[in-house]
């Protein structure tokens, strides 16, 4: 796990481009405090400078200097900077060695580089893990950028006159001085519609995310560098090749085997591994399986709250006792959140209404001396843990076997959605989405809809555009498989994975997600929908697979989604800070928000108006504070675009200091 940065081509001189990349590297140094490296890229045909690579290393596998990056192959034709982990690198290494490859290190980076040298991008579907990387081919005179199929690891691009820059974090690109500090208004609309910026947009104009499961070629010439169209090498979820399994016992065994295999792979590390333990089925299952697979004592961490009804400390402690883990409880109070807000918001790469919990627990894990932690993210998405899975079934039954809502009814729903707000607006927006899985997902994930969004940001169709612009799942997926696809491609990728990466890496902590794995996804996709929902149990398929490993306190209780006590905190400890931001016309204008509409949201929440949850004012607050921390706005500004001007006075590197617990 690391941070990568670089530039290809452009009008800038090699020296100026290198200085710009050095500034990216400095801005993302928190991602890799163990080592740093950089190199100049040249084409063999003309010998001219073609770009720069930089790398920040968090040493996890092969702690020796042989794992240093940028890394070159034996012929010096290929060079690479790589962020992530390839969990099946040992198997791939053995295959490559059998065909004549030799290795100088024990790193997965070298396996990736050698596999590319022999097979090119055809090697990508073989990779099991999380990754984002850049490769330079000196013979071909071009570069390649790629990202894993689930989008676990981020990669952002900015094409400028001075060159095509890439980085692991958006804020790193700001440090170049070549990227305008201007907010993308369409991204703001998407953010208000769902609580995070939908890929491939980013919050900054001119910066985009490389789509998950894609590789792109960067053509470089004397004048500029240009990224071609992304080519998809793997779908988020693959259409099953065989009829779905309908036998419950066989399905549970298949899922158990896949999870055991995944957890074993995710434990591969040359440093100790810790685990997040919330007390729910997902994280408890990971702890149980890891305890059985590991030959080392495990350390577990749980966030607890003083507020009753939020903490899952009891079930988490029961799991820790059963598996004899060294267990730590991290008490998170409103006062702690308030004290840490500047640091946490400074670490926020893009605006998000989520992630504070990950920032808090990651701080505790890193202070305890760990570099790697396993998380239970992904269980709800693959095993029907969210309400939209049941909602999709109800919508499909209402519409008659899952047919798309007829066009006239959709048009009427769209008209209602434009003016609606709250529950009515969400329902109309979901009906306008058209197909049951999409409709259910939109109903669950919409934040501001229709009239409310229009009033806030002056974008009448922003919520419609977000709902209509959702990508389309592959053909051949069942109803619940399509809901899984939307959750994995939307909420999971744009919110949970993005926040998990940036808030864990703010503390130089590698966060691994065993549920978001090729084998586990394949097992989930191979099971009939009828086994994934049960009127009396949450995630019955997953529970059938692991119930024997878990204390009764974990599974014999109503599902409790992980939620922070923000509603109380916003009315008490956080109220002065949030009130100041949401009642300042100048601060709201910076991000293009209407002051009267924002005040209505804030006052409606304080008055406990029905349908106005804490997530709405908090989303508005984080948007305002993120823009201030990154010194960006919706208006054009003189941002010192010339490379030769040196470090921008606005550039800042947020501290990775932790929360007080």
């Amino acid at each position: 796990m690391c941070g990568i940065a670089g530039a290809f081509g452009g009008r800038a001189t090699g020296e100026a481009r290198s200085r710009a990349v050095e500034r990216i590297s400095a801005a993302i140094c928190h991602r890799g405090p163990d080592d740093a490296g950089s190199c100049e890229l040249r084409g063999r045909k003309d010998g001219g400078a073609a770009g720069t690579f930089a790398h920040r290393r968090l040493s996890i596998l092969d702690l020796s200097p042989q794992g240093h990056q940028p890394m070159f192959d034996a012929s010096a034709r290929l060079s690479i900077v790589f962020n992530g982990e390839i969990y099946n690198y040992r198997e791939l290494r053995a295959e490559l060695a059998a065909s004549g490859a030799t290795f100088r290190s024990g790193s997965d980076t070298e396996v990736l580089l050698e596999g590319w040298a022999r097979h090119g991008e055809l090697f990508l579907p073989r990779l099991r893990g999380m990754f984002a990387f850049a490769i330079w081919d000196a013979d071909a005179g071009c570069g390649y950028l790629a990202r894993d199929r689930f989008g676990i690891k981020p990669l952002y691009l900015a094409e400028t006159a001075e060159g095509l820059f890439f980085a692991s974090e958006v804020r790193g690109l700001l440090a170049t001085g070549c990227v305008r500090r201007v907010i993308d208004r369409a991204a703001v609309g998407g953010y208000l519609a769902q609580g995070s910026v939908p890929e491939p947009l980013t919050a900054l104009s001119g910066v985009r995310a490389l789509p998950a499961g894609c590789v792109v070629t960067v053509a470089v010439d004397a004048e500029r560098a240009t990224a071609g169209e992304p080519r998809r090498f793997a779908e988020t979820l693959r259409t099953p090749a065989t009829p779905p399994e309908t036998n419950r016992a066989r399905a549970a065994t298949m899922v158990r085997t896949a999870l055991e295999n995944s957890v074993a792979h995710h434990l591969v590390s040359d440093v100790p591994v810790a685990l997040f333990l919330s007390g729910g089925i997902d994280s408890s299952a990971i702890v149980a399986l890891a305890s059985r697979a590991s030959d080392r004592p495990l350390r577990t961490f749980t966030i607890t709250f003083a507020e009753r009804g939020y903490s899952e400390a009891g079930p988490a402690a029961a799991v820790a006792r059963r598996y004899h883990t060294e267990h730590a409880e991290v008490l998170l109070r409103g006062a702690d959140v308030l004290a840490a807000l500047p640091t946490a918001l400074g670490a926020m790469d893009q605006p998000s209404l989520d992630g504070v919990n990950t920032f808090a627990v990651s701080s505790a894990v890193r202070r305890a001396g760990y570099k790697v932690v396993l998380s239970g993210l992904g269980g709800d998405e693959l095993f029907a843990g969210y309400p939209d899975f049941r909602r999709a079934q109800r919508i499909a039954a209402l519409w008659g076997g899952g047919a798309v809502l007829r066009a006239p009814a959709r048009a009427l729903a769209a008209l209602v959605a434009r003016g609606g707000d709250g529950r009515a607006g969400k329902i109309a927006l979901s009906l306008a989405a058209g197909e049951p899985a999409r409709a259910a997902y939109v109903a669950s994930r919409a934040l501001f809809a229709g009239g409310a969004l229009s009033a806030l940001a002056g974008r009448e169709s922003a919520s419609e555009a977000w709902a209509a612009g959702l990508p389309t799942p592959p053909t051949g997926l069942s109803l619940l498989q399509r809901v899984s696809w939307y959750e994995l491609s939307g909420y999971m990728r744009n919110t949970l994975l993005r926040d998990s990466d940036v808030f864990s890496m703010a503390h130089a902590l590698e966060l691994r997600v065993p549920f978001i794995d090729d084998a586990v996804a394949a097992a989930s996709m191979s099971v009939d929908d009828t086994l994934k929902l049960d009127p009396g149990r949450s995630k019955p398929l997953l529970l059938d697979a692991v119930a024997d490993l878990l204390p009764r306190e974990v599974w014999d209780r109503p599902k409790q989604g992980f939620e922070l006590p923000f509603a109380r905190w916003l009315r008490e400890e956080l109220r002065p800070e949030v009130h100041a931001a949401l009642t300042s016309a100048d601060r709201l204008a910076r991000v293009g928000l209407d002051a009267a509409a924002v005040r209505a949201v804030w006052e409606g929440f304080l008055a406990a108006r029905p349908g106005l949850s804490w997530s709405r004012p908090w989303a508005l607050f984080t948007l305002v504070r993120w823009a201030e921390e990154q010194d960006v706005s919706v208006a054009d500004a003189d941002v010192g675009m010339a490379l030769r001007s040196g470090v921008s006075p606005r550039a800042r590197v947020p501290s990775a200091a932790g929360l007080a617990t």
Side-chain angles (χ1 to χ4, degrees), residues 304-312 331-335 337 560 563-570 572-573:
T304 64
F305 307 101
E307 291 82 0
R308 297 187 57 160
Y310 289 92
S311 180
E312 293 186 281
L331 177 62
L332 187 60
R333 299 163 297 190
V337 175
Q560 179 178 338
E563 184 175 334
L564 279 66
F566 262 112
R568 192 192 69 76
W569 293 347
L570 285 176
E572 297 181 16
E573 293 94 338

Side-chain angles (χ1 to χ4, degrees), residues 134-411:
I135 283 179
W136 170 251
D137 188 325
D139 284 354
C142 65
Y144 300 90
L145 302 168
R147 188 175 174 213
D148 68 76
R149 65 180 280 209
F150 295 109
I152 302 172
K153 302 317 302 171
L155 189 58
Y156 302 103
L157 321 177
E159 291 189 39
T160 74
E162 287 80 10
L164 186 151
F165 293 92
F166 67 86
S168 296
E169 296 183 9
V170 171
R171 57 187 166 149
L173 295 172
L174 281 175
T176 63
C178 304
V179 174
R180 294 166 48 204
R181 292 179 175 270
V182 177
I183 296 173
D184 187 317
R185 287 183 177 270
V188 170
Y191 171 75
L192 295 175
Q194 68 166 16
S196 61
V197 177
E199 293 183 356
L201 296 176
T202 75
L204 291 181
S205 178
V207 178
R208 69 184 190 276
L210 179 67
C214 288
V215 59
V216 65
T217 301
V218 180
V220 180
D221 59 35
E223 293 296 321
R224 61 181 300 180
T226 306
E229 286 297 314
R231 302 181 296 280
R232 183 163 299 284
F233 65 83
E235 258 296 353
T236 301
L237 290 178
R238 300 185 179 100
T239 305
T242 58
E245 178 60 67
T246 58
N247 180 275
R248 185 170 294 278
R250 287 196 297 268
T253 298
M254 184 164 53
V255 170
R256 171 74 161 263
T257 300
L259 279 172
E260 289 173 339
N261 183 272
S262 177
V263 169
H265 275 83
H266 282 72
L267 286 171
V268 174
S269 171
D270 291 330
V271 298
V273 176
L275 298 98
F276 290 160
L277 177 58
S278 72
I281 295 172
D282 303 338
S283 64
S284 298
I286 299 300
V287 169
L289 293 168
S291 297
R292 291 159 61 95
S294 177
D295 57 0
R296 303 174 181 177
L298 296 178
R299 185 83 181 269
T300 51
F301 293 81
T302 296
I303 285 189
T304 64
F305 307 101
E307 291 82 0
R308 297 187 57 160
Y310 289 92
S311 180
E312 293 186 281
V319 174
R321 286 193 301 271
R322 178 161 178 172
Y323 291 101
H324 308 288
T325 72
E326 185 180 349
H327 189 55
E329 293 184 351
V330 181
L331 177 62
L332 187 60
R333 299 163 297 190
D336 300 322
V337 175
L338 179 62
L341 267 181
T343 306
L345 291 167
M348 185 177 286
D349 196 40
Q350 296 193 71
S352 173
L353 61 76
D354 203 20
V356 172
N357 56 315
T358 302
F359 185 86
V361 72
S362 294
S363 172
V365 173
R366 193 65 174 97
R367 289 201 311 274
Y370 289 85
K371 292 183 180 181
V372 181
V373 66
L374 269 58
S375 165
L377 286 181
D380 285 324
E381 287 77 4
L382 286 171
F383 296 100
Y386 291 132
D388 50 349
F389 287 90
R390 298 181 187 276
R391 185 177 291 121
Q393 283 193 329
R394 292 195 295 269
I395 293 173
L398 180 64
W399 292 359
V404 174
L405 189 65
R406 292 180 179 177
R410 291 175 61 189

Side-chain angles (χ1 to χ4, degrees), residues 409-432:
R410 291 175 61 189
L412 178 61
L415 184 62
V416 173
R418 290 192 189 101
D421 187 15
R423 185 179 298 274
K426 284 188 177 185
I427 291 173
L429 183 64
S430 68
L431 292 176

Side-chain angles (χ1 to χ4, degrees), residues 20-31:
V21 173
E22 286 173 7
R23 292 196 288 272
I24 304 177
S25 181
I28 63 171
C29 64
H30 51 273
R31 298 184 68 93

Side-chain angles (χ1 to χ4, degrees), residues 114-139:
E114 185 63 33
W116 184 279
R118 290 172 177 261
H119 305 290
E121 62 190 77
L122 295 178
F123 192 62
L124 295 179
R126 302 287 313 283
L127 303 177
R128 180 179 182 182
M130 52 183 184
F131 58 83
F133 66 82
I135 283 179
W136 170 251
D137 188 325
D139 284 354

